[in-house]
Amino acid sequence: MHESFWQERWAREQIGFHLEQVNPYLLRHWPQLGAPAAARVLVPLCGKSLDLAWLAGQGHRVLGVELAEKAVQAFFAEQELQPEISRQGAFKVYRAGALELWCGDFFALRADDVADCLALYDRAALIALPPPMRERYAAHLTAILPRGCRGLLITLDYLQSQMDGPPFAVSDDEVQGHFAAAWQLKTLQREDVLAGNWKFIRHELKALDEVVYRLDKRE
Ligand SMILES: C[S@@+](CC[C@H](N)C(=O)[O-])C[C@H]1O[C@@H](n2cnc3c(N)ncnc32)[C@H](O)[C@@H]1O
């Protein structure tokens, strides 16, 4: 999936993935992760999610990574924050207090950049990517994040032949395949969300599940 796809989505405000409230799974499951408040949280493909501000409100430093500068600027404007802007390698960094949004390509992120990220939050990041990129995304996360990192991964599962992504269907087997070698994986919740999703009902999907995983990096 090319960068221009996402830049266009943001330019045209086609951002149906954006939630106007903090993600309920984050509210429910983050506290039981036991991530120390001092842990910095990596939020890959973060958009302008309100979850970033919520995580900062829990005492965390937050490192969001997002391609579209429009999303980054909208986030700080909507939070009524005046960010300082600097450069860090390939990224343009917007920083206000505990919140840093790095504008650029997630795949340019290096292990040094995230050495103190002992927590991870993926909502609509893995599932935003087509299959070969998901493989690369999971491998990159695993390669750069430190041992002991823990986090939440929220996926969507449906029959891919019934609808094109994004959001893409990511099965339980696929999640295991991406992460089980280096991360301990636990399913925290699986919710049938078809009834509440008119956008998906019109594709005549037979099933639509959201799944929340806990991830703990072993090596
Ligand atoms: C489906 S949206 C999810 C945004 C956010 N996680 C949320 O829950 O609202 C995926 C986001 O990833 C961004 N994105 C896609 N590819 C990226 C990449 N390689 N590096 C950084 N951001 C990327 C897109 O611009 C888009 O904002």
Side-chain angles (χ1 to χ4, degrees):
M1 186 149 290
H2 204 263
E3 175 178 341
S4 59
F5 171 86
W6 292 106
Q7 299 289 10
E8 261 172 49
R9 293 280 295 254
W10 280 100
R12 293 183 186 169
E13 303 269 344
Q14 291 172 346
I15 53 167
F17 51 79
H18 178 71
L19 295 183
E20 294 297 345
Q21 80 262 2
V22 177
N23 189 287
Y25 301 122
L26 177 64
L27 294 174
R28 176 167 178 198
H29 295 293
W30 191 265
Q32 79 194 48
L33 270 186
R40 194 180 188 199
V41 187
L42 175 64
V43 186
L45 284 62
C46 63
K48 58 169 189 171
S49 171
L50 302 184
D51 302 346
L52 297 157
W54 185 84
L55 286 164
Q58 305 309 297
H60 296 296
R61 286 173 302 131
V62 178
L63 196 177
V65 184
E66 171 55 50
L67 265 181
E69 191 161 17
K70 185 171 178 191
V72 174
Q73 291 172 342
F75 172 78
F76 285 103
E78 288 168 18
Q79 295 296 320
E80 300 182 1
L81 294 169
Q82 297 283 340
E84 283 175 14
I85 300 172
S86 59
R87 288 222 72 100
Q88 175 82 26
F91 294 90
K92 188 168 175 185
V93 175
Y94 285 65
R95 177 182 297 118
L99 283 158
E100 283 182 21
L101 266 61
W102 289 28
C103 186
D105 181 5
F106 164 77
F107 295 101
L109 210 55
R110 298 162 314 154
D112 277 357
D113 300 325
V114 296
D116 57 352
C117 285
L118 285 170
L120 164 72
Y121 176 60
D122 174 328
R123 184 262 169 185
L126 180 69
I127 63 166
L129 303 172
M133 280 186 87
R134 293 204 288 277
E135 187 78 50
R136 205 177 143 218
Y137 168 84
H140 193 61
L141 265 188
T142 300
I144 61 174
L145 281 170
R147 180 183 303 152
C149 179
R150 65 188 80 175
L152 296 179
L153 164 68
I154 304 171
T155 63
L156 207 53
D157 197 6
Y158 60 90
L159 201 56
Q160 191 69 85
S161 59
Q162 293 188 300
M163 190 181 89
D164 291 331
F168 292 95
V170 177
S171 69
D172 201 44
D173 281 353
E174 182 180 327
V175 171
Q176 298 287 339
H178 288 317
F179 294 105
W183 301 75
Q184 192 176 324
L185 264 170
K186 186 175 176 204
T187 305
L188 298 178
Q189 188 174 353
R190 175 177 280 269
E191 280 297 310
D192 175 351
V193 293
L194 185 59
N197 271 294
W198 62 267
K199 278 184 291 189
F200 296 96
I201 290 172
R202 72 186 159 84
H203 288 276
E204 297 183 3
L205 291 189
K206 299 278 179 288
L208 180 70
D209 285 357
E210 275 177 336
V211 190
V212 185
Y213 298 91
R214 177 190 174 129
L215 293 170
D216 287 90
K217 189 152 188 268
R218 281 198 295 265
E219 48 186 70

